[in-house]
Amino acid sequence: MEQQLVQQLPSTGVGSKLPHLAECVYLDYNATTPIYPEVSEAMKPYIYELFGNPSSVHAYGQQTRAAVDKARQQVAGLINCSPDEVAFTSCGTESDNWALWGAVMARRGSSSSSSSSSQQGLPHVVTSQIEHPAVTACLRSMAEQGLCTFTAVPVDSQGLISVTDVVSALTPNTVLVSIMHSNNEVGSLQPVAAIAAAVRQAAPGCLVHSDAAQSMGKVAVDVQQLGVDLLTLVGHKFGAPKGVAALYIRQGVQLANLLSGGSQERGRRGGTENVLLLAGLGAAAELAQLEADATAAHMRSMRDRLAAGLLAALPRHLVRINGPQDSALQLPNTLSISVKGLSAPSLLQMLAQKLAASAGAACHSSHGPAVSPVLQAMRLHPDYAVGTLRLSTGRHTTADEVDRAVTLIVGAARKQGLEFGSSGSSSDTANGTAAH
Ligand SMILES: Cc1ncc(COP(=O)(O)O)c(C=O)c1O
């Protein structure tokens, strides 16, 4: 069965070119991935023929119930948990909100101090300064409503969170620690396993959540190895459609329901299952597991080719690469590169029909601050921050696309009047490993 998924469409695997990505080079896989061809195939029966409500006992319901069960098993296989511990949601934001709100409300419900209006009695959450808005905005909103307090720990200049900082932020009221598995802008992989172990020791009973939206399909995510209680994964970051995600809820963890309704998701989240999207999520999870090494190696080689090409062509003294220097602490697909004197938003505007990439995170690029909170937290100088491009490669990135992207970016930088001088293309600066 598993082999069928990959062999069905032999010309569509890792590294293959997708015809609909021909015109505009797509280097924005951290914003969203294209739906992988095998995933699209797996969804087809549920667009038209197989339509029953999975809660119905008749034949039509049984067909879609089987699809939902299969998807749950596929997702559980990817993160190494029991299918009963996987709850499906509508997006990463919902999974994150559910983990935070659910943990806080469960504690308020079970604690006699829940009626206390004093700040001291409120449940407390520890998070970081570089979380996605799905975490930070939710916590801010809960704090404004007087439901909890929270502490956001800083990061170092490489975008890494320290275990000691997290432990130091714990208070007797801390009910949850929420630290992302990897960062969407600079690709830093956080020491989640070490954080979970330290929290367990310092604050028994405190839950640990990790937003692994950006990690799925790029690096191994094993909830047993991580030791987390809650984990967010998001379909459209690894080849499934948008609008489907999951929350891992370790067996025995008390979480208040965000959506109350029918008995779906074992009574944890009402609402008729989105069978079509779940078939896609399951297929993407199975593919990610089957192809883990090949996909990571491909993304890495494309990312490194991109970095080497840009470092060779741009004035080296004006360029810096953001994120961990140790490649073991970085996502294999993400290149955050800053060019002093460049306006990344203008460059992307200029190239909008030819190159798809981001200046900061896509989710807040249209109405957010010019300098992203992540780069601010890393204390990147504003001259570099404004010239920061986030380029992210993926399963279907080709060498030709990477080379075209380098030419386009360098050409646009020249048009912006960037001073290339004589060092611009000298070969001794063409070292993709020089800066990270
Ligand atoms: C780290 C991270 N968490 C959460 C989300 C939110 O996912 P969604 O847009 O599906 O709600 C994203 C999406 O960009 C993300 O990158």
Side-chain angles (χ1 to χ4, degrees):
M1 184 60 111
E2 286 174 351
Q3 288 310 317
Q4 272 175 14
L5 194 63
V6 177
Q7 282 168 9
Q8 223 169 10
L9 301 158
S11 61
T12 56
V14 177
S16 66
K17 188 176 162 148
L18 294 182
H20 51 290
L21 301 189
E23 292 301 313
C24 180
V25 175
Y26 192 74
L27 290 177
D28 210 7
Y29 275 75
N30 284 8
T32 196
T33 65
I35 297 176
Y36 298 160
E38 297 87 339
V39 171
S40 157
E41 282 300 310
M43 289 167 60
K44 278 184 183 161
Y46 304 96
I47 295 176
Y48 187 58
E49 293 109 322
L50 305 182
F51 68 93
N53 187 323
S55 298
S56 303
V57 293
H58 51 62
Y60 297 103
Q62 285 172 18
Q63 290 167 332
T64 49
R65 166 57 51 208
V68 172
D69 289 347
K70 182 177 171 189
R72 206 181 300 282
Q73 276 164 15
Q74 288 165 313
V75 170
L78 180 62
I79 60 172
N80 189 24
C81 68
S82 152
D84 291 349
E85 296 174 309
V86 174
F88 293 129
T89 65
S90 66
C91 58
T93 302
E94 184 187 333
S95 293
D96 284 345
N97 277 225
W98 189 7
L100 301 165
W101 189 87
V104 165
M105 296 312 277
R107 185 58 66 96
R108 282 174 65 96
S110 69
S111 152
S112 56
S113 64
S114 62
S115 55
S116 161
S117 60
S118 97
Q119 290 271 308
Q120 275 156 6
L122 290 175
H124 173 250
V125 179
V126 176
T127 189
S128 83
Q129 289 180 356
I130 60 163
E131 301 295 314
H132 189 272
V135 168
T136 51
C138 178
L139 283 173
R140 245 181 268 125
S141 163
M142 286 197 298
E144 278 163 20
Q145 292 172 60
L147 298 176
C148 71
T149 59
F150 72 96
T151 305
V153 299
V155 291
D156 67 14
S157 60
Q158 297 183 43
L160 291 166
I161 295 159
S162 123
V163 181
T164 316
D165 284 349
V166 173
V167 173
S168 307
L170 295 169
T171 74
N173 289 333
T174 308
V175 297
L176 179 72
V177 169
S178 181
I179 297 291
M180 69 197 329
H181 192 265
S182 58
N183 180 261
N184 43 311
E185 290 188 45
V186 297
S188 46
L189 283 162
Q190 305 304 337
V192 174
I195 288 171
V199 169
R200 270 245 187 290
Q201 206 168 30
C206 172
L207 298 176
V208 178
H209 165 248
S210 187
D211 176 350
Q214 289 294 340
S215 300
M216 311 312 300
K218 298 173 189 164
V219 292
V221 176
D222 179 323
V223 290
Q224 311 307 331
Q225 275 173 14
L226 291 172
V228 293
D229 302 290
L230 301 157
L231 182 127
T232 294
L233 63 93
V234 184
H236 73 99
K237 308 292 186 182
F238 63 104
K242 281 151 273 296
V244 66
L247 181 65
Y248 159 74
I249 308 172
R250 184 182 291 283
Q251 196 163 19
V253 164
Q254 296 300 312
L255 210 59
N257 286 357
L258 198 56
L259 293 191
S260 302
S263 59
Q264 293 89 355
E265 302 304 308
R266 298 163 67 82
R268 294 180 295 204
R269 181 189 185 269
T272 302
E273 297 88 339
N274 192 330
V275 182
L276 172 65
L277 300 190
L278 290 175
L281 181 68
E286 188 176 321
L287 262 187
Q289 202 182 350
L290 286 173
E291 302 180 339
D293 293 344
T295 315
H298 177 70
M299 289 174 176
R300 186 183 304 283
S301 86
M302 292 298 108
R303 193 269 315 269
D304 290 351
R305 184 182 181 105
L306 189 59
L310 290 172
L311 285 171
L314 291 166
R316 187 65 190 87
H317 65 288
L318 299 179
V319 177
R320 56 161 292 161
I321 291 181
N322 309 303
Q325 282 170 5
D326 180 351
S327 66
L329 300 178
Q330 229 213 3
L331 286 176
N333 80 319
T334 306
L335 175 65
S336 171
I337 184 165
S338 302
V339 187
K340 190 176 173 189
L342 191 80
S343 164
S346 313
L347 182 145
L348 292 176
Q349 191 75 48
M350 192 192 297
L351 297 177
Q353 301 306 316
K354 294 179 181 157
L355 172 71
S358 288
C363 298
H364 32 115
S365 60
S366 58
H367 52 81
V371 175
S372 82
V374 174
L375 299 179
Q376 282 183 47
M378 290 167 64
R379 293 171 296 285
L380 183 66
H381 192 283
D383 289 352
Y384 282 95
V386 172
T388 300
L389 291 168
R390 181 194 66 181
L391 302 154
S392 42
T393 62
R395 185 179 189 252
H396 294 283
T397 304
T398 64
D400 171 61
E401 283 181 303
V402 165
D403 297 345
R404 274 162 57 206
V406 171
T407 306
L408 286 165
I409 292 169
V410 173
R414 279 191 196 280
K415 279 201 187 126
Q416 279 196 11
L418 197 73
E419 213 31 82
F420 276 70
S422 56
S423 69
S425 56
S426 80
S427 58
D428 62 353
T429 60
N431 179 0
T433 61
H436 245 297

